[in-house]
Amino acid sequence: MKHSAGSWRTWASNCSKTRLRGAVIELVRHPEGVRRERLSDWLVRRLGHDYDSLSRLFSEVTGTTLEKYLIAQKIEYAKELLIYDELSLAEIADRLG
């Protein structure tokens, strides 16, 4: 089946957006070693595409940057950790970098 350029772009955008979001969330919630890795390095290694393309596609589709999305995910995770009340603020800050 032949796809038009627009339908291919839509499919690629939806697929990549889901994978990108999942990779960012995994980075935020992953054990210590990976969380210290730079977002760009993590995404390139995890998804196998260059960061500029991933970043541009994510911004076009979501209307926000990968960096802002990462910060929002860290904030949400910090809220969860505060609700569970098992870690001190210093431990949460250390965990989230």
Side-chain angles (χ1 to χ4, degrees):
M1 175 181 223
K2 190 172 183 177
H3 295 283
S4 70
S7 67
W8 171 254
R9 179 92 172 135
T10 300
W11 177 85
S13 295
N14 290 336
C15 180
S16 294
K17 179 178 69 172
T18 301
R19 290 182 64 208
L20 276 165
R21 285 182 173 170
V24 170
I25 291 168
E26 184 179 344
L27 176 64
V28 169
R29 294 171 180 262
H30 201 278
E32 288 299 316
V34 175
R35 239 192 330 275
R36 301 292 180 211
E37 190 170 357
R38 286 184 7 202
L39 174 63
S40 58
D41 294 338
W42 165 254
L43 292 175
V44 166
R45 189 169 56 78
R46 180 77 170 77
L47 301 175
H49 296 284
D50 70 283
Y51 182 75
D52 289 338
S53 296
L54 292 170
S55 179
R56 187 173 37 257
L57 181 62
F58 189 84
S59 294
E60 286 174 8
V61 173
T62 65
T64 190
T65 66
L66 278 166
E67 292 80 10
K68 287 180 182 178
Y69 184 71
L70 174 67
I71 291 167
Q73 290 306 307
K74 284 184 175 185
I75 291 169
E76 289 305 312
Y77 190 42
K79 288 178 186 178
E80 287 178 34
L81 294 172
L82 287 169
I83 289 170
Y84 294 141
D85 200 29
E86 295 174 0
L87 300 173
S88 70
L89 288 176
E91 291 169 318
I92 292 171
D94 185 57
R95 180 173 285 194
L96 294 174

